[in-house]
Amino acid sequence: MKPATCSERRRGRKFAGGFTLLEMLVAITLLAVMAVIGWRALDSLTRSRERLTDHDLRLDALKVLYGQLQADCEHLASPALLQASPVEIGQNRVLLVRDRRDEGQPPTWQALSYQLDGNTLVRVAAPPVDSRAALQSSLLALRQGGGNGAQVRRVLADVDSMSARAWVEPGGWQIDSNRIRNALFSGNAASAVAASAAGAALPNTAVRAVELTIFARMGDGDTPRQFQKICVTGL
């Protein structure tokens, strides 16, 4: 038998140290599995970050909503001067009348509404007016959806429902507009006659606070969560 030359022995060692086809397939499969696992982990982190960012944005919008409501309640119109209730409560809606005292301008009243437009909570503000007749027209327009000249601002999305109630001293919490008016303008006979003659609310009666409760979703697929805020008025 012919002995192997040096070049043939080197070629044999080179082939013996390489990967077989099966080994290459196993390595490629492992790399593919690791790539899929890594992609899923990265995708999960990205989705979690997006959910947290969306949740934070919704919480910020909720803070803006309650901050604006607090400012409106602090400037709630006096029932005695208004000769009417400054708060009306309806299904998925609360109407407020606030004082407007802009610098260099005469005092005015402004009617505004917090209400649901589909699943979005909006604040609808009518133009300021300086007479009770004009104010009644503004309130009527808000009850019917807004009217011309009303400023509509979207405040919070994905709201399933909302409700409100008012604390009327000395009647306590009221959830009905008629009860609020009765608490402000009705009472014992002598007080009612005196208040009616003067066109004012009863003595020692006022809307002390307004509570707004909403059920909103803080992210995609979340169940509605209850959020509640009591805003003290300036009366």
Side-chain angles (χ1 to χ4, degrees):
M1 182 176 64
K2 182 180 179 180
T5 63
C6 293
S7 60
E8 290 175 341
R9 286 196 296 269
R10 286 196 298 270
R11 190 180 301 114
R13 286 196 298 269
K14 180 179 179 182
F15 290 151
F19 292 103
T20 65
L21 178 60
L22 179 60
E23 291 172 336
M24 291 293 294
L25 291 175
V26 171
I28 292 173
T29 302
L30 290 176
L31 288 174
V33 171
M34 293 176 63
V36 170
I37 294 175
W39 176 82
R40 288 184 176 178
L42 180 61
D43 182 66
S44 177
L45 289 174
T46 303
R47 290 178 181 272
S48 297
R49 181 178 180 181
E50 290 176 352
R51 284 195 296 268
L52 289 175
T53 301
D54 183 56
H55 185 270
D56 290 343
L57 291 175
R58 292 171 189 265
L59 284 180
D60 290 341
L62 189 64
K63 293 176 183 178
V64 171
L65 163 65
Y66 282 136
Q68 181 64 68
L69 179 63
Q70 179 63 57
D72 291 333
C73 288
E74 288 176 355
H75 296 87
L76 200 66
S78 168
L81 298 177
L82 195 61
Q83 297 183 11
S85 171
V87 180
E88 291 185 17
I89 297 174
Q91 184 177 7
N92 289 326
R93 173 185 293 165
V94 55
L95 295 175
L96 303 175
V97 179
R98 60 169 290 173
D99 287 326
R100 285 290 300 267
R101 300 184 181 275
D102 299 328
E103 186 176 356
Q105 300 294 329
T108 57
W109 290 308
Q110 184 178 32
L112 52 93
S113 171
Y114 289 87
Q115 62 191 50
L116 286 186
D117 181 8
N119 287 332
T120 302
L121 195 152
V122 298
R123 179 181 183 269
V124 186
V129 296
D130 57 3
S131 68
R132 295 184 181 89
L135 179 62
Q136 291 302 318
S137 298
S138 296
L139 289 171
L140 180 60
L142 288 179
R143 295 187 194 106
Q144 296 175 349
N148 295 329
Q151 181 183 12
V152 181
R153 189 178 71 180
R154 297 179 179 273
V155 183
L156 186 65
D158 293 331
V159 179
D160 285 15
S161 64
M162 62 170 287
S163 61
R165 59 178 182 168
W167 177 276
V168 182
E169 189 175 308
W173 287 113
Q174 307 294 336
I175 60 174
D176 179 78
S177 296
N178 291 329
R179 291 181 178 272
I180 295 174
R181 282 192 293 268
N182 290 337
L184 289 172
F185 296 96
S186 300
N188 60 68
S191 297
V193 170
S196 177
L202 290 171
N204 302 320
T205 62
V207 179
R208 299 299 186 188
V210 175
E211 179 188 81
L212 180 65
T213 302
I214 63 173
F215 286 86
R217 303 173 189 271
M218 290 292 103
D220 293 337
D222 290 351
T223 57
R225 296 171 55 188
Q226 178 178 341
F227 297 93
Q228 196 171 58
K229 171 72 173 180
I230 297 177
C231 299
V232 179
T233 69
L235 300 177

PDB file of all heavy atoms in Angstrom, residues 4-15:
ATOM      1  N   ALA A   4       0.696   7.579   2.704  1.00  0.00           N
ATOM      2  CA  ALA A   4       0.102   8.905   2.469  1.00  0.00           C
ATOM      3  C   ALA A   4       1.171   9.968   2.504  1.00  0.00           C
ATOM      4  O   ALA A   4       2.115   9.909   3.296  1.00  0.00           O
ATOM      5  CB  ALA A   4      -0.945   9.206   3.523  1.00  0.00           C
ATOM      6  N   THR A   5       1.039  10.897   1.605  1.00  0.00           N
ATOM      7  CA  THR A   5       1.984  12.006   1.558  1.00  0.00           C
ATOM      8  C   THR A   5       1.650  13.016   2.646  1.00  0.00           C
ATOM      9  O   THR A   5       0.600  12.968   3.293  1.00  0.00           O
ATOM     10  CB  THR A   5       1.925  12.691   0.190  1.00  0.00           C
ATOM     11  OG1 THR A   5       0.618  13.247   0.018  1.00  0.00           O
ATOM     12  CG2 THR A   5       2.197  11.686  -0.926  1.00  0.00           C
ATOM     13  N   CYS A   6       2.549  13.998   2.845  1.00  0.00           N
ATOM     14  CA  CYS A   6       2.338  15.035   3.879  1.00  0.00           C
ATOM     15  C   CYS A   6       1.123  15.891   3.565  1.00  0.00           C
ATOM     16  O   CYS A   6       0.343  16.250   4.450  1.00  0.00           O
ATOM     17  CB  CYS A   6       3.593  15.908   3.984  1.00  0.00           C
ATOM     18  SG  CYS A   6       5.030  15.028   4.628  1.00  0.00           S
ATOM     19  N   SER A   7       0.947  16.234   2.279  1.00  0.00           N
ATOM     20  CA  SER A   7      -0.195  17.086   1.915  1.00  0.00           C
ATOM     21  C   SER A   7      -1.510  16.370   2.161  1.00  0.00           C
ATOM     22  O   SER A   7      -2.493  16.965   2.600  1.00  0.00           O
ATOM     23  CB  SER A   7      -0.081  17.515   0.448  1.00  0.00           C
ATOM     24  OG  SER A   7      -0.079  16.367  -0.399  1.00  0.00           O
ATOM     25  N   GLU A   8      -1.562  15.078   1.903  1.00  0.00           N
ATOM     26  CA  GLU A   8      -2.790  14.315   2.130  1.00  0.00           C
ATOM     27  C   GLU A   8      -3.093  14.226   3.619  1.00  0.00           C
ATOM     28  O   GLU A   8      -4.251  14.287   4.032  1.00  0.00           O
ATOM     29  CB  GLU A   8      -2.646  12.920   1.515  1.00  0.00           C
ATOM     30  CG  GLU A   8      -2.649  12.943  -0.009  1.00  0.00           C
ATOM     31  CD  GLU A   8      -2.373  11.560  -0.586  1.00  0.00           C
ATOM     32  OE1 GLU A   8      -1.836  10.722   0.171  1.00  0.00           O
ATOM     33  OE2 GLU A   8      -2.698  11.344  -1.752  1.00  0.00           O
ATOM     34  N   ARG A   9      -2.038  14.062   4.465  1.00  0.00           N
ATOM     35  CA  ARG A   9      -2.278  14.001   5.905  1.00  0.00           C
ATOM     36  C   ARG A   9      -2.810  15.338   6.428  1.00  0.00           C
ATOM     37  O   ARG A   9      -3.697  15.393   7.273  1.00  0.00           O
ATOM     38  CB  ARG A   9      -0.973  13.607   6.619  1.00  0.00           C
ATOM     39  CG  ARG A   9      -0.620  12.132   6.440  1.00  0.00           C
ATOM     40  CD  ARG A   9       0.428  11.722   7.466  1.00  0.00           C
ATOM     41  NE  ARG A   9       1.684  12.446   7.245  1.00  0.00           N
ATOM     42  CZ  ARG A   9       2.661  11.986   6.463  1.00  0.00           C
ATOM     43  NH1 ARG A   9       2.524  10.825   5.807  1.00  0.00           N
ATOM     44  NH2 ARG A   9       3.774  12.671   6.316  1.00  0.00           N
ATOM     45  N   ARG A  10      -2.271  16.465   5.919  1.00  0.00           N
ATOM     46  CA  ARG A  10      -2.762  17.780   6.352  1.00  0.00           C
ATOM     47  C   ARG A  10      -4.206  17.991   5.916  1.00  0.00           C
ATOM     48  O   ARG A  10      -5.029  18.536   6.652  1.00  0.00           O
ATOM     49  CB  ARG A  10      -1.861  18.888   5.770  1.00  0.00           C
ATOM     50  CG  ARG A  10      -0.508  18.984   6.476  1.00  0.00           C
ATOM     51  CD  ARG A  10       0.150  20.307   6.138  1.00  0.00           C
ATOM     52  NE  ARG A  10       0.406  20.427   4.711  1.00  0.00           N
ATOM     53  CZ  ARG A  10       1.537  20.029   4.127  1.00  0.00           C
ATOM     54  NH1 ARG A  10       2.509  19.463   4.843  1.00  0.00           N
ATOM     55  NH2 ARG A  10       1.706  20.195   2.818  1.00  0.00           N
ATOM     56  N   ARG A  11      -4.542  17.549   4.700  1.00  0.00           N
ATOM     57  CA  ARG A  11      -5.909  17.696   4.216  1.00  0.00           C
ATOM     58  C   ARG A  11      -6.869  16.858   5.051  1.00  0.00           C
ATOM     59  O   ARG A  11      -7.974  17.271   5.368  1.00  0.00           O
ATOM     60  CB  ARG A  11      -5.975  17.283   2.741  1.00  0.00           C
ATOM     61  CG  ARG A  11      -7.308  17.648   2.093  1.00  0.00           C
ATOM     62  CD  ARG A  11      -7.340  17.218   0.630  1.00  0.00           C
ATOM     63  NE  ARG A  11      -6.255  17.854  -0.116  1.00  0.00           N
ATOM     64  CZ  ARG A  11      -5.247  17.202  -0.646  1.00  0.00           C
ATOM     65  NH1 ARG A  11      -5.150  15.878  -0.507  1.00  0.00           N
ATOM     66  NH2 ARG A  11      -4.308  17.843  -1.324  1.00  0.00           N
ATOM     67  N   GLY A  12      -6.455  15.696   5.469  1.00  0.00           N
ATOM     68  CA  GLY A  12      -7.299  14.845   6.303  1.00  0.00           C
ATOM     69  C   GLY A  12      -7.553  15.463   7.658  1.00  0.00           C
ATOM     70  O   GLY A  12      -8.657  15.431   8.189  1.00  0.00           O
ATOM     71  N   ARG A  13      -6.498  16.061   8.261  1.00  0.00           N
ATOM     72  CA  ARG A  13      -6.692  16.719   9.563  1.00  0.00           C
ATOM     73  C   ARG A  13      -7.621  17.926   9.435  1.00  0.00           C
ATOM     74  O   ARG A  13      -8.422  18.214  10.309  1.00  0.00           O
ATOM     75  CB  ARG A  13      -5.331  17.142  10.128  1.00  0.00           C
ATOM     76  CG  ARG A  13      -4.512  15.968  10.651  1.00  0.00           C
ATOM     77  CD  ARG A  13      -3.377  16.473  11.530  1.00  0.00           C
ATOM     78  NE  ARG A  13      -2.455  17.329  10.783  1.00  0.00           N
ATOM     79  CZ  ARG A  13      -1.378  16.872  10.147  1.00  0.00           C
ATOM     80  NH1 ARG A  13      -1.106  15.567  10.150  1.00  0.00           N
ATOM     81  NH2 ARG A  13      -0.578  17.705   9.508  1.00  0.00           N
ATOM     82  N   LYS A  14      -7.534  18.655   8.314  1.00  0.00           N
ATOM     83  CA  LYS A  14      -8.392  19.824   8.104  1.00  0.00           C
ATOM     84  C   LYS A  14      -9.850  19.425   8.016  1.00  0.00           C
ATOM     85  O   LYS A  14     -10.721  20.028   8.623  1.00  0.00           O
ATOM     86  CB  LYS A  14      -7.946  20.542   6.831  1.00  0.00           C
ATOM     87  CG  LYS A  14      -8.762  21.781   6.519  1.00  0.00           C
ATOM     88  CD  LYS A  14      -8.244  22.454   5.272  1.00  0.00           C
ATOM     89  CE  LYS A  14      -9.078  23.693   4.954  1.00  0.00           C
ATOM     90  NZ  LYS A  14      -8.622  24.348   3.710  1.00  0.00           N
ATOM     91  N   PHE A  15     -10.136  18.390   7.252  1.00  0.00           N
ATOM     92  CA  PHE A  15     -11.521  17.926   7.141  1.00  0.00           C
ATOM     93  C   PHE A  15     -12.030  17.377   8.466  1.00  0.00           C
ATOM     94  O   PHE A  15     -13.173  17.550   8.834  1.00  0.00           O
ATOM     95  CB  PHE A  15     -11.627  16.862   6.055  1.00  0.00           C
ATOM     96  CG  PHE A  15     -11.433  17.423   4.670  1.00  0.00           C
ATOM     97  CD1 PHE A  15     -10.917  16.632   3.654  1.00  0.00           C
ATOM     98  CD2 PHE A  15     -11.753  18.744   4.404  1.00  0.00           C
ATOM     99  CE1 PHE A  15     -10.737  17.149   2.384  1.00  0.00           C
ATOM    100  CE2 PHE A  15     -11.574  19.258   3.127  1.00  0.00           C
ATOM    101  CZ  PHE A  15     -11.057  18.463   2.110  1.00  0.00           C
TER     102      PHE A  15
END
